[in-house]
Amino acid sequence: MANEFAARTSVEQVEEGAELAPKFDADGLIPAVTTAAQTGELLMVGYMNAEALRKTIETGEAHYWSRSRQVLWHKGATSGLVQKVVELMIDDDQDCVWLKVDVSGNGASCHVGYRTCFYRRVPLGAGSSKKLEFTESEKVFDPKVVYGDAPNPTKL
Amino acid sequence: MANEFAARTSVEQVEEGAELAPKFDADGLIPAVTTAAQTGELLMVGYMNAEALRKTIETGEAHYWSRSRQVLWHKGATSGLVQKVVELMIDDDQDCVWLKVDVSGNGASCHVGYRTCFYRRVPLGAGSSKKLEFTESEKVFDPKVVYGDAPNPTKL
């Protein structure tokens, strides 16, 4: 696919310019950090290829590239939990984007059924047990009901 | 280096368990999303190897792996802008961590001199110009003063 964004020609252009010149990695992907627009809570980190980024910009709804399923992924197409993009930001060297979104429905973003993918805390300190502490006690949906027998995207 | 974290043995263990069993990619890295604990603002996205993750846990200060310099990177060692980790979270499939940090000094986290690395907005909509809009108008420090003639980490 031809690169539909600006070519990267100088550090100054990339860092201080107004041209959208995203850097896709060797797999053609750029990481996308998605937070809840209202609360600032981190919901998920996904990846976009050029098509996913373009569709996100043009439709105002989050599109990702599913690395586990190897398909363009319109978030919410299965679960109904579409992410409406309130603001889309790009970082200094344009190798990462930040989506601030409103989530429809019950506000869940995690395939396990929690509100956010980040529901466990790692204890800190020199003597840390490294035993994870759950910060969400109840799931907001039942993944079996929502996804049926679709394969779990988690890879070992 | 031996993996000092738990082995990944099942989806249930990884998603619903209390063992810290992070997934490092082919380069031995896991992405780390860093937000300001007070405001929820996204400051940066970096990468950690196993040593950086362990040092972050043990010291409570953010350590990353610098992909451009290929060294363990104690954030703030050069600039003085150390990130104190208030809370460290890990996601469902344990392939991403989230650091909520307090930044010392002037609160800057971006090597270009802005407060956050995400200082430009991508306009949305079917007719988007894709011309970036700056959301920070002034730098909070002068990179030349802070970093001297150290090489710029941005790669084209």
Side-chain angles (χ1 to χ4, degrees):
Chain A
M1 183 190 322
N3 190 332
E4 58 203 285
F5 302 105
R8 296 166 64 89
T9 55
S10 73
V11 169
E12 185 180 2
Q13 170 225 17
V14 168
E15 291 186 345
E16 306 273 9
E19 287 185 300
L20 179 58
K23 182 174 189 169
F24 297 96
D25 68 13
D27 296 321
L29 302 177
I30 189 169
V33 174
T34 303
T35 61
Q38 299 304 315
T39 64
E41 186 172 49
L42 179 60
L43 297 174
M44 57 176 282
V45 176
Y47 293 84
M48 294 180 175
N49 61 3
E51 185 184 8
L53 179 56
R54 177 173 53 79
K55 290 212 168 189
T56 299
I57 293 171
E58 291 181 354
T59 67
E61 295 184 352
H63 290 68
Y64 304 93
W65 175 256
S66 167
R67 295 177 303 164
S68 52
R69 293 182 287 131
Q70 292 281 306
V71 291
L72 184 74
W73 170 28
H74 179 198
K75 175 78 180 168
T78 300
S79 65
L81 305 171
V82 167
Q83 296 175 339
K84 288 272 184 193
V85 183
V86 176
E87 192 168 38
L88 175 63
M89 307 291 291
I90 195 157
D91 75 334
D92 43 19
D93 56 354
Q94 300 201 33
D95 69 352
C96 186
V97 294
W98 174 18
L99 289 74
K100 303 179 194 178
V101 304
D102 281 336
V103 181
S104 52
N106 57 21
S109 284
C110 173
H111 77 277
V112 180
Y114 295 107
R115 198 177 65 253
T116 156
C117 295
F118 295 82
Y119 49 80
R120 288 173 295 183
R121 180 193 296 125
V122 183
L124 299 171
S128 169
S129 67
K130 296 185 184 147
K131 286 291 169 199
L132 304 179
E133 302 158 355
F134 281 70
T135 54
E136 293 192 41
S137 53
E138 289 194 24
K139 297 189 180 185
V140 292
F141 71 90
D142 181 345
K144 286 198 183 67
V145 172
V146 171
Y147 296 110
D149 54 5
N152 188 304
T154 291
K155 304 294 177 203
L156 292 181
Chain B
M1 185 189 320
N3 190 331
E4 59 204 285
F5 302 104
R8 295 166 64 89
T9 55
S10 74
V11 170
E12 187 180 1
Q13 170 225 16
V14 167
E15 291 186 345
E16 307 273 9
E19 287 184 301
L20 180 58
K23 182 172 191 172
F24 297 95
D25 68 13
D27 296 321
L29 302 178
I30 189 170
V33 174
T34 303
T35 61
Q38 299 303 316
T39 64
E41 184 172 50
L42 179 60
L43 297 175
M44 57 176 281
V45 176
Y47 292 85
M48 293 180 176
N49 62 3
E51 185 184 10
L53 178 56
R54 177 174 53 78
K55 290 212 168 191
T56 298
I57 292 171
E58 292 183 353
T59 67
E61 295 185 351
H63 290 68
Y64 304 92
W65 175 258
S66 168
R67 295 177 302 166
S68 53
R69 292 182 288 132
Q70 292 282 305
V71 293
L72 184 74
W73 170 27
H74 179 198
K75 175 77 179 167
T78 301
S79 65
L81 304 171
V82 167
Q83 296 175 338
K84 288 274 184 191
V85 183
V86 175
E87 193 169 37
L88 175 63
M89 308 291 292
I90 195 157
D91 76 335
D92 44 17
D93 57 353
Q94 300 201 32
D95 69 353
C96 186
V97 294
W98 174 19
L99 289 74
K100 304 180 195 179
V101 304
D102 281 336
V103 180
S104 52
N106 56 20
S109 284
C110 172
H111 77 278
V112 181
Y114 294 107
R115 198 177 64 253
T116 156
C117 295
F118 294 82
Y119 49 80
R120 287 172 297 183
R121 181 192 295 126
V122 184
L124 299 171
S128 169
S129 66
K130 296 185 183 144
K131 285 292 168 198
L132 304 178
E133 301 158 355
F134 281 71
T135 55
E136 292 191 41
S137 53
E138 288 195 23
K139 298 190 179 184
V140 293
F141 71 89
D142 181 344
K144 288 198 182 66
V145 172
V146 171
Y147 296 110
D149 54 6
N152 189 305
T154 292
K155 303 294 176 202
L156 293 182

